[in-house]
Amino acid sequence: AQSVAQPEDQVNVAEGNPLTVKCTYSVSGNPYLFWYVQYPNRGLQFLLKYITGDNLVKGSYGFEAEFNKSQTSFHLKKPSALVSDSALYFCAVSPRWDDKIIFGKGTRLHILP
Amino acid sequence: EAGVAQSPRYKIIEKRQSVAFWCNPISGHATLYWYQQILGQGPKLLIQFQNNGVVDDSQLPKDRFSAERLKGVDSTLKIQPAKLEDSAVYLCASSFGQVPTYEQYFGPGTRLTVT
C-alpha cells in the first residue's frame, strides 16, 4: 500500500540551530513528494515539492528538502531555525502524476527561543 | 488574490443530525478538493472535482456523505446522518489543474464536533 511516514510526533530545536523534520515514503515507481505547513489558526500552506531532477529542492521561508531514493526519504531542513517556524509540518506523496496526494500524520516543530 | 473561503468555521451537532459545509475556491481554479482531517492525523482526500465532474471519490463514505459542485465553482459537502467519528476538520482546497504537481491552496477549514 502507498504510504508516507513521519516518525516524530514533535521536534524541538533551539532558535538559530539547524532543523530536520523526517519523512519516509513507500510507493512503487517514481514518487512526487511535497511538504506543507500548518500555522496555528491558518490553513495548510505549500512549502515545496520534488517532481524530478535535482535531489535538493528549495522552497518557501528558507526551507529545503532532500530526496533520497535509496533511503526512500524526503527530509525537510533549514540551516537556522526561527521561532516563527514553529508549526505543524506535513509530508505528502503522490504515487503517480495523476494520483491523489497522501499526507503523513504531521510533525509538530517547536523552536525554542 | 482572495484565498479559498469556507463556512461555517465551527459547527457542533448531535449524532444523527445533518450538516453542510460550503467552499468557494480561488477564482480560475478548475480543481476542488474536500479533505477530512481527524485530530492527530494528516488530511485524507474525500472527493476531488474537476470543474463540475468528479475525478476521485474513492474515499468518500457515500452512505452518509455527499458533495456537489453544480456550476463548477463553489461546492457543498453534506453529512447525513452524522456519526461521532465524523468529528474532524473539513478542509477545502483548490488548484489550477488536477494533477498533484499543481500547488493546492487550502481554506481555513470547518471544525465539526458531533456529540
Side-chain angles (χ1 to χ4, degrees):
Chain A
Q2 326 281 14
S3 64
V4 58
Q6 295 181 245
E8 303 152 318
D9 289 336
Q10 182 168 309
V11 172
N12 298 321
V13 177
E15 186 177 26
N17 283 2
L19 70 87
T20 298
V21 183
K22 296 180 180 178
C23 172
T24 59
Y25 63 89
S26 175
V27 303
S28 55
N30 297 315
Y32 298 88
L33 295 154
F34 309 84
W35 277 100
Y36 279 80
V37 59
Q38 190 169 38
Y39 296 104
N41 300 314
R42 293 171 64 179
L44 275 164
Q45 295 179 32
F46 170 84
L47 268 183
L48 51 81
K49 66 184 177 187
Y50 172 81
I51 304 299
T52 187
D54 194 347
N55 289 344
L56 185 65
V57 293
K58 296 185 183 297
S60 307
Y61 312 120
F63 283 93
E64 57 189 28
E66 187 168 11
F67 170 62
N68 187 318
K69 189 170 184 177
S70 62
Q71 297 186 5
T72 62
S73 68
F74 190 56
H75 300 332
L76 181 70
K77 300 180 180 183
K78 188 174 182 180
S80 178
L82 300 172
V83 172
S84 57
D85 293 331
S86 298
L88 187 57
Y89 290 80
F90 291 94
C91 182
V93 64
S94 179
R96 296 192 315 269
W97 68 273
D98 59 348
D99 208 340
K100 60 181 168 286
I101 292 177
I102 302 164
F103 284 85
K105 64 176 175 63
T107 297
R108 189 164 297 281
L109 178 64
H110 283 289
I111 307 302
L112 309 170
Chain B
E1 123 187 307
V4 176
Q6 290 188 247
S7 67
R9 292 294 309 276
Y10 305 91
K11 190 74 177 178
I12 301 174
I13 62 172
E14 296 181 351
K15 59 183 179 183
R16 291 187 290 274
Q17 287 186 326
S18 62
V19 65
F21 312 127
W22 175 82
C23 171
N24 193 33
I26 291 173
S27 177
H29 281 191
T31 310
L32 185 147
Y33 311 80
W34 283 103
Y35 288 88
Q36 179 192 57
Q37 186 178 11
I38 293 173
L39 187 64
Q41 300 180 21
K44 182 182 82 171
L45 180 69
L46 292 176
I47 188 166
Q48 176 183 343
F49 291 96
Q50 179 69 13
N51 296 309
N52 61 351
V54 175
V55 174
D56 187 340
D57 64 356
S58 58
Q59 300 187 111
L60 186 73
K62 298 181 185 64
D63 58 334
R64 299 184 300 106
F65 286 64
S66 64
E68 59 183 17
R69 193 184 184 200
L70 293 177
K71 297 182 179 179
V73 180
D74 58 345
S75 175
T76 303
L77 176 70
K78 296 180 181 178
I79 308 175
Q80 182 179 10
K83 292 185 176 182
L84 295 176
E85 59 261 36
D86 299 332
S87 293
V89 176
Y90 291 85
L91 299 168
C92 179
S94 69
S95 64
F96 182 76
Q98 71 176 78
V99 295
T101 51
Y102 286 101
E103 179 180 339
Q104 294 185 26
Y105 295 80
F106 284 80
T110 296
R111 183 176 298 277
L112 173 67
T113 302
V114 182
T115 62

